[in-house]
């Protein structure tokens, strides 16, 4: 079964926690996703059943190779979209919420194209400067 957007959020958070801390506790996952620990436990059981992770009550969880692969891809997608929104000038306070709103609705093709566009701007800083100048110009033009 393909992962749902909710499953993806959990896998991304679990992968990130394990990458940063070496482990992922139910309380850390709940805090990071702003959900109740009981919701985390239910989702962990579902992810275990779908072979994304192995969960042993009171012992913790480990990601399977399937879970690691998807978790890394999800975290990379999230970082790419954050970088994209930063580079095009989205206000910092909006970026996290905006990424959360769009990341599950973009095709792999769209993500790849955004990655190419980011590469286009980062390879030649003058391109980014031109983009920012255009944005400023358009913002100051009368309607």
């Amino acid at each position: 079964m393909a992962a749902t957007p909710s499953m993806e959020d959990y896998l991304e958070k679990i992968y990130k926690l394990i990458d940063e801390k070496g482990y992922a506790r139910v309380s850390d996952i709940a805090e990071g996703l702003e959900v109740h620990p009981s919701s985390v436990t239910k989702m962990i059981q579902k992810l275990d059943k779908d072979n994304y992770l192995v969960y042993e009550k009171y012992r913790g969880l480990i990601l399977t190779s399937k879970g690691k692969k998807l978790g890394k891809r999800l975290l990379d997608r999230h970082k790419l979209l954050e970088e994209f929104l930063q580079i095009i000038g989205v206000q910092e306070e909006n970026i996290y919420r905006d990424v959360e709103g769009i990341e599950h609705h973009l095709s792999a093709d769209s993500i790849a194209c955004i990655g190419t566009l980011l590469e286009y701007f980062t390879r030649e800083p003058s391109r980014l400067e031109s983009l920012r100048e255009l944005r400023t110009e358009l913002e100051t033009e009368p309607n």
Side-chain angles (χ1 to χ4, degrees):
M1 178 177 104
T4 65
S6 180
M7 291 166 76
E8 287 184 351
D9 286 339
Y10 278 85
L11 281 168
E12 180 184 336
K13 179 56 69 181
I14 291 166
Y15 182 87
K16 186 175 183 186
L17 285 167
I18 291 172
D19 189 48
E20 291 173 353
K21 297 170 117 182
Y23 60 89
R25 296 183 315 212
V26 168
S27 58
D28 295 327
I29 299 165
E31 182 182 322
L33 294 175
E34 299 178 350
V35 296
H36 292 287
S38 59
S39 299
V40 174
T41 301
K42 284 180 193 168
M43 181 58 79
I44 286 173
Q45 290 167 347
K46 183 174 187 148
L47 292 169
D48 185 353
K49 182 175 159 281
D50 290 346
N51 300 312
Y52 289 104
L53 56 82
V54 176
Y55 176 64
E56 293 180 27
K57 198 169 183 177
Y58 308 115
R59 297 204 51 173
L61 60 91
I62 57 166
L63 290 170
T64 62
S65 59
K66 175 183 175 182
K68 284 180 191 172
K69 184 178 176 183
L70 182 55
K72 179 174 179 0
R73 195 172 89 236
L74 295 169
L75 187 59
D76 289 348
R77 175 183 73 184
H78 190 99
K79 288 177 180 176
L80 178 87
L81 291 172
E82 280 184 349
E83 187 180 345
F84 173 66
L85 294 181
Q86 286 168 338
I87 214 166
I88 63 170
V90 173
Q91 293 178 5
E92 202 63 39
E93 64 267 19
N94 296 327
I95 290 176
Y96 182 80
R97 187 185 69 247
D98 288 354
V99 169
E100 287 299 310
I102 64 173
E103 67 183 337
H104 303 293
H105 303 286
L106 295 174
S107 66
D109 182 42
S110 291
I111 297 295
C113 290
I114 289 170
T116 302
L117 186 61
L118 276 175
E119 188 63 27
Y120 173 79
F121 284 115
T122 55
R123 280 191 183 182
E124 183 56 56
S126 64
R127 294 172 181 158
L128 185 55
E129 188 56 39
S130 295
L131 175 68
R132 291 185 174 146
E133 287 171 3
L134 177 61
R135 184 166 188 236
T136 301
E137 180 186 315
L138 292 173
E139 286 175 347
T140 57
E141 281 183 2
N143 290 334

